[in-house]
Amino acid sequence: MRLLAVLVLAACAACATGPAPANVAEDVRVETIALDLLPEGKGTVGFVLDLEARPQESCTVTRVEWQLLLQSREFAAGIAASNVLVPGGQHARVRVEEPVAFGGMAYDARARTVPISLRGEVVTQWRWGEEKKRFALTTRVAVRGAPVYDRQ
């Protein structure tokens, strides 16, 4: 019975940080995420992905499809065109910087950290065709201010 209680507590603790993303590519990593959110209801989402090509086979990143959750709620999404060559067996960085708008929401101007989740797919073009690779990261980022979902 005690073992069962420990297992239930461990399962609950794992759920609190969110389940591990399914089918995330090992050769695509999120390096950084930055949010610049202004009181006017506009801002910028930026992130850098590190990709690795297969040995002796180059590819080109043609687009990045992404979704950002802020405080566990959908906040922004987009498709960013790209043209980044990843040489065979090497790494390359893909930078994405997109404008966001959240004009209908309240804004809290206090500097703090907020929980975010970034997930999406990198679309790569290989000699043999197109491939989509999933990426995901859940973390906290520092902001000068952020939209407010719930008033306490």
Side-chain angles (χ1 to χ4, degrees):
M1 187 62 147
R2 184 179 232 178
L3 179 60
L4 180 60
V6 170
L7 291 174
V8 169
L9 287 175
C12 288
C15 292
T17 58
N23 302 324
V24 173
E26 291 182 13
D27 53 355
V28 179
R29 289 168 296 286
V30 180
E31 282 193 354
T32 60
I33 303 173
L35 296 177
D36 186 18
L37 307 174
L38 306 172
E40 299 82 37
K42 297 179 183 176
T44 305
V45 172
F47 57 93
V48 176
L49 301 173
D50 177 64
L51 285 88
E52 182 179 1
R54 295 179 188 99
Q56 301 173 358
E57 191 173 1
S58 299
C59 69
T60 301
V61 177
T62 57
R63 71 180 182 272
V64 178
E65 301 170 0
W66 59 273
Q67 180 184 30
L68 180 73
L69 281 68
L70 177 66
Q71 300 168 358
S72 300
R73 297 194 177 151
E74 287 188 28
F75 179 68
I79 299 174
S82 182
N83 189 22
V84 175
L85 175 66
V86 186
Q90 296 184 28
H91 290 260
R93 288 189 172 132
V94 177
R95 297 184 196 303
V96 175
E97 189 168 314
E98 295 286 322
V100 294
F102 53 95
M105 301 175 74
Y107 184 83
D108 182 350
R110 293 177 296 153
R112 62 190 187 283
T113 63
V114 293
I116 64 164
S117 293
L118 176 68
R119 60 185 176 219
E121 293 182 330
V122 175
V123 180
T124 53
Q125 185 66 47
W126 299 83
R127 180 176 31 88
W128 46 264
E130 187 177 90
E131 180 180 37
K132 290 185 176 185
K133 298 181 178 196
R134 293 179 189 248
F135 63 88
L137 178 68
T138 298
T139 189
R140 296 185 71 86
V141 296
V143 294
R144 293 180 291 178
V148 177
Y149 285 102
D150 298 317
R151 291 273 185 198
Q152 265 106 23

